[in-house]
Amino acid sequence: MNPGTGPAPDRARSFSLGVGAYAATRPGYPTTAVRWAVPREARTVLDLAAGTGKLTAALVGLVPEVIAVEPSDEMRAELVRALPGVRALAGTAEATGLHDACVDAVTVGQAWHWFDAASASAEIARVLRPGGRLTVLWNVRDESEPWVAEFSRIVHRGDDLADHFDPPVLGPGFGPVEAERFSWVERIPTAALRPLAASRSFLLTMPDDERDARLAEIDELVATHPDLAGSEADLPYVTRAYRATVS
Ligand SMILES: C[S@@+](CC[C@H](N)C(=O)[O-])C[C@H]1O[C@@H](n2cnc3c(N)ncnc32)[C@H](O)[C@@H]1O
């Protein structure tokens, strides 16, 4: 499988390099956001670009059938290990390999910015049943917390793709895009901040010496910031969500 036909394909493909750190440290999704994403009557949901299954896991139990499509063999293998009951398929947003009109909803967590938006939009409209819903979500760290702002400054310094949370531009067939935000907090071990930083595509695709220098800055932040003095900390997130219905 060859993921990443959209912008920055090298970075889109880089997640395979950091599966363990991704699965261990990236956030899940709050139930309120997932309920908002999926119509109450939905029977089958496609989680597109499912990765290691962070959003997939939140869908399981809410809907009778969840299908995960993910191009990276390494990410998909972790999803299958964690969620053995989910049908997990190799495919991309631009070519899912699914039949026409076969799902009631499609979710995309933390991945729309990797897609070729026009092709993905057409493909999602094709696999959705009439009246079906697409929801695009991003977990965004809440930088009103000073240590979080400092963490983000270290991780994303020089990153052109750091801010990519705009509403998705959808093709023909979709109605207006509705937006919502969900604030929540994840309690994390402070030791997880280093692998969390290391799991970002920006760091995964850096030369080794640059990545080591960034991670040393994260270690310094964790060792010196008073709000990170304990073994755990509250990491605040805002989940930004956008949904639209296909006609
Ligand atoms: C940041 S991860 C998000 C994974 C998961 N949805 C989550 O919320 O944790 C981005 C995922 O998008 C996948 N991806 C990249 N380009 C893609 C494409 N064109 N079509 C489908 N998936 C793609 C990557 O392989 C990776 O697993």
Side-chain angles (χ1 to χ4, degrees):
M1 245 319 133
N2 184 25
T5 53
D10 289 348
R11 284 182 58 179
R13 279 190 283 266
S14 69
F15 294 100
S16 304
L17 304 170
V19 175
Y22 195 104
T25 63
R26 288 292 192 101
Y29 292 82
T31 307
T32 45
V34 181
R35 285 194 194 285
W36 187 85
V38 176
R40 202 187 299 268
E41 63 283 6
R43 310 289 304 163
T44 306
V45 176
L46 164 62
D47 187 28
L48 191 50
T52 60
K54 299 270 175 189
L55 179 53
T56 323
L59 292 163
V60 170
L62 275 188
V63 281
E65 188 188 10
V66 181
I67 303 169
V69 166
E70 163 57 42
S72 154
D73 294 340
E74 293 83 358
M75 295 291 265
R76 208 173 54 256
E78 172 59 25
L79 185 152
V80 169
R81 193 199 58 73
L83 301 168
V86 169
R87 195 174 143 211
L89 306 171
T92 65
E94 298 80 7
T96 61
L98 298 181
H99 296 302
D100 292 357
C102 66
V103 299
D104 302 306
V106 174
T107 55
V108 177
Q110 224 72 10
W112 182 267
H113 52 291
W114 300 125
F115 299 169
D116 176 315
S119 307
S121 185
E123 176 69 351
I124 292 165
R126 183 185 71 73
V127 301
L128 277 171
R129 297 192 176 108
R133 181 189 294 167
L134 164 65
T135 302
V136 173
L137 307 101
W138 281 283
N139 282 319
V140 184
R141 289 183 302 276
D142 183 349
E143 293 174 4
S144 61
E145 178 69 40
W147 75 260
V148 179
E150 184 58 14
F151 176 84
S152 295
R153 191 193 63 74
I154 296 168
V155 172
H156 292 295
R157 198 169 58 237
D159 182 358
D160 293 342
L161 287 177
D163 293 314
H164 49 249
F165 314 117
D166 293 334
V169 177
L170 303 177
F174 284 97
V177 175
E178 197 183 341
E180 193 54 270
R181 293 181 182 209
F182 303 87
S183 294
W184 61 289
V185 170
E186 188 178 47
R187 185 95 183 138
I188 57 156
T190 50
L193 287 168
R194 182 188 171 98
L196 176 63
S199 78
R200 307 302 309 193
S201 64
F202 187 47
L203 269 74
L204 288 170
T205 53
M206 265 178 190
D208 289 351
D209 55 341
E210 273 182 51
R211 181 172 49 251
D212 290 349
R214 296 280 174 132
L215 294 176
E217 286 186 65
I218 296 292
D219 292 343
E220 176 74 10
L221 173 72
V222 173
T224 58
H225 200 290
D227 295 342
L228 299 174
S231 60
E232 293 191 332
D234 285 335
L235 174 46
Y237 282 99
V238 177
T239 300
R240 295 199 198 173
Y242 302 96
R243 67 184 182 186
T245 299
V246 79
S247 50

